[in-house]
Amino acid sequence: IGAAAFYDTALTSIVFEDGTTPLTIGETGAVIDESDSIYQSATYYAVFGGTSIASISLPGRLSTIGDFAFASLDTDTPIAITFGENSNLRLIGLAAFYGSNIASITIPGSVTTVNDYAFGSTGTYAESAPFDITFAAGESDLELGNRVFAGSYLTTLTLPARLTSIGANAFSYSTYNCSNLASINVDSECKAYASKDGMLYTGGFKE
């Protein structure tokens, strides 16, 4: 499914059938024009941006969520995004969910790379509603990009033992921070990072 395929259309629902053919939503290699805001860049790439989709169920055959794929889903109520069993998803692209009103989400254990801004300015807009992100356990290493959560409404973040790196300014950039973030929980088997009393540290509580 190509960039901006359904952007600003009257689409209200979509069904992805199961199968064996790998599925890619959106494209990779997007460039953020520094003369534009990141929201403007989303209009060039966002597959479902500006639609009124209420929920999205993604099949196990999905291998890539491309750049800005689910960005600009600015709906009145949070969108529920779920992943099928035996997920083959590996990559979550640049600003994939940027600026979208989505409900708490669990990222499959198959994911190895989450690129810059992926969850930037994302979350449940209602102040009383929690927005939690959980990265499931898995066999492969997990890398999180720069500014990956900056400006989001994230309340609780759960990270797996397989986490190896978190990019610069992951939670804060310029005036964009995670003011609702109350707790970060890291699996006790993680070698690169640790958590204590809801705070994030490098492995061994060195910082």
Side-chain angles (χ1 to χ4, degrees):
I1 300 176
F6 300 101
Y7 186 83
D8 205 21
T9 66
L11 186 71
T12 58
S13 65
I14 188 167
V15 175
F16 294 98
E17 294 183 350
D18 293 328
T20 58
T21 303
L23 172 66
T24 295
I25 298 176
E27 300 176 1
T28 56
V31 176
I32 297 176
D33 187 340
E34 294 184 359
S35 65
D36 292 331
S37 70
I38 193 167
Y39 282 103
Q40 181 62 40
S41 297
T43 65
Y44 308 140
Y45 304 102
V47 177
F48 300 103
T51 65
S52 298
I53 291 178
S55 64
I56 302 172
S57 180
L58 299 170
R61 64 190 179 97
L62 176 66
S63 61
T64 300
I65 294 177
D67 302 336
F68 292 94
F70 295 102
S72 298
L73 287 168
D74 190 11
T75 55
D76 292 334
T77 57
I79 299 167
I81 299 177
T82 57
F83 298 87
E85 295 182 1
N86 302 315
S87 176
N88 288 295
L89 181 62
R90 298 288 185 269
L91 172 68
I92 295 178
L94 172 73
F97 297 96
Y98 191 90
S100 290
N101 184 12
I102 64 175
S104 295
I105 188 170
T106 297
I107 305 301
S110 57
V111 172
T112 60
T113 303
V114 181
N115 281 341
D116 300 355
Y117 296 103
F119 294 97
S121 297
T122 298
T124 304
Y125 297 167
E127 293 184 3
S128 60
F131 173 52
D132 303 332
I133 298 177
T134 298
F135 288 87
E139 300 299 324
S140 300
D141 291 346
L142 172 65
E143 297 181 351
L144 303 180
N146 300 328
R147 305 165 188 168
V148 64
F149 305 111
S152 73
Y153 295 81
L154 183 63
T155 50
T156 301
L157 175 64
T158 301
L159 299 168
R162 62 194 184 93
L163 178 67
T164 58
S165 66
I166 300 175
N169 302 309
F171 302 96
S172 180
Y173 171 66
S174 184
T175 59
Y176 301 95
N177 55 42
C178 295
S179 58
N180 292 347
L181 184 57
S183 180
I184 299 176
N185 304 304
V186 182
D187 189 288
S188 60
E189 298 298 318
C190 184
K191 296 180 179 179
Y193 297 91
S195 62
K196 184 176 182 181
D197 299 328
M199 301 291 291
L200 179 67
Y201 299 84
T202 55
F205 300 101
K206 295 179 181 178
E207 307 185 352

